[in-house]
Amino acid sequence: MSDFLPISLPSRCMTYGIDPTDIQIRPYTGQDEVYLSQINPVNVETKYTQVLERVLKGIDPKSLTLGDRLYIILWEFINSYSNTLRVKSVCSHCLNEVEHSVDLRKLDVVTLPDGYSEPHALDIDGETIHVRLTTVGDEVEVEKLKNKADAEMYQYARIIVDDDDVVTRMEKLKKGSAKKLARIRLFQSEFYHGPDMNTHVTCPKCGEEDDLAVPFRFDFIFPDGSLLRDSIGA
């Protein structure tokens, strides 16, 4: 019996050109935990992609959009460890600090809109450029850069779709207007897809409803410390 399960990604596979029903995922195993324990902020892109290669079927993890990857990170946390997360906040009504138990399964999911396609055309002051969403593969390549000062510009240059090489694109972006770069940044946020990390809660002290931003934590990838204790207990 296979441990792999179907998964519906927020992108709806609109950027992949594959059948969404072909993608499957399984929860982490003990061996995956060993690999996850080797991840740190310096190697996270490369190492976590290697774990994704183990737990996913039907898609190359490097082609995943970042929104789909975030969804997968939370799916793995829910299905491998716990579906609840304790989040502290200050109630905007009574101003008391309170703690909420958030069911991550109930977070809304934002999907790419109908008709989305790539490359996507952006018109900026009479110039048209074509771009795509950032992928896991882009993040892996950025992580390899020795000159970290160029990392952000390199990332933006990678998502432009034209006949130039990435170095030429970087130089054009550096010399171009701030507005052009800002429009590329806006494109990424306009087409955000993935878990909606904002939810509604009820204050346990005053009973009023409030908005709560669920923070993304690095240890969603490999729970440790207080998150590990909260997730699976002693």
Side-chain angles (χ1 to χ4, degrees):
M1 180 177 177
S2 173
D3 293 328
F4 283 85
L5 304 167
I7 184 171
S8 298
L9 297 175
S11 72
R12 299 190 285 172
C13 295
M14 298 175 77
T15 66
Y16 307 142
I18 60 177
D19 186 341
T21 61
D22 288 342
I23 301 178
Q24 294 182 308
I25 190 172
R26 64 162 173 78
Y28 296 141
T29 63
Q31 185 61 64
D32 296 323
E33 261 261 323
V34 174
Y35 294 136
L36 290 167
S37 69
Q38 299 168 3
I39 293 175
N40 59 56
V42 176
N43 66 21
V44 60
E45 302 296 345
T46 300
K47 291 292 187 181
Y48 191 63
T49 301
Q50 292 171 355
V51 174
L52 290 178
E53 290 171 349
R54 293 172 51 84
V55 302
L56 283 176
K57 280 185 177 181
I59 189 169
D60 179 354
K62 289 184 179 179
S63 68
L64 289 169
T65 63
L66 301 190
D68 281 351
R69 182 178 65 174
L70 177 57
Y71 183 81
I72 289 170
I73 289 172
L74 288 189
W75 188 97
E76 287 289 359
F77 182 81
I78 291 167
N79 290 277
S80 301
Y81 301 107
S82 174
N83 61 279
T84 59
L85 179 71
R86 294 182 185 178
V87 181
K88 290 183 179 180
S89 69
V90 175
C91 175
S92 64
H93 301 282
C94 66
L95 303 182
N96 282 303
E97 184 178 68
V98 293
E99 184 175 80
H100 301 281
S101 181
V102 178
D103 188 340
L104 298 173
R105 297 171 301 181
K106 295 182 178 179
L107 292 177
D108 290 335
V109 177
V110 181
T111 61
L112 283 178
D114 291 340
Y116 178 84
S117 63
E118 291 183 346
H120 188 85
L122 299 179
D123 294 319
I124 308 169
D125 292 337
E127 178 188 5
T128 300
I129 63 171
H130 294 86
V131 295
R132 60 172 175 77
L133 292 168
T134 304
T135 66
V136 170
D138 295 323
E139 296 289 270
V140 170
E141 292 304 312
V142 169
E143 188 175 75
K144 295 177 183 177
L145 279 183
K146 294 181 179 180
N147 184 4
K148 299 303 181 184
D150 283 336
E152 188 169 3
M153 194 65 73
Y154 179 66
Q155 182 184 61
Y156 289 130
R158 285 184 62 85
I159 66 170
I160 295 174
V161 181
D162 61 19
D163 294 330
D164 290 334
D165 59 70
V166 69
V167 175
T168 301
R169 291 186 211 134
M170 285 178 64
E171 292 306 311
K172 287 183 177 180
L173 287 175
K174 288 177 180 179
K175 296 175 182 178
S177 68
K179 183 177 180 180
K180 182 176 182 178
L181 193 61
R183 185 64 187 87
I184 296 172
R185 289 193 291 110
L186 179 60
F187 158 75
Q188 295 289 333
S189 61
E190 281 181 331
F191 289 101
Y192 172 79
H193 55 287
D196 184 348
M197 303 300 280
N198 296 296
T199 188
H200 301 289
V201 293
T202 300
C203 176
K205 293 195 175 181
C206 71
E208 294 288 340
E209 288 194 359
D210 211 353
D211 295 327
L212 179 69
V214 179
F216 176 79
R217 301 174 51 154
F218 186 79
D219 50 3
F220 276 147
I221 295 174
F222 181 67
D224 200 6
S226 62
L227 181 60
L228 180 60
R229 289 191 297 272
D230 291 344
S231 300
I232 63 175

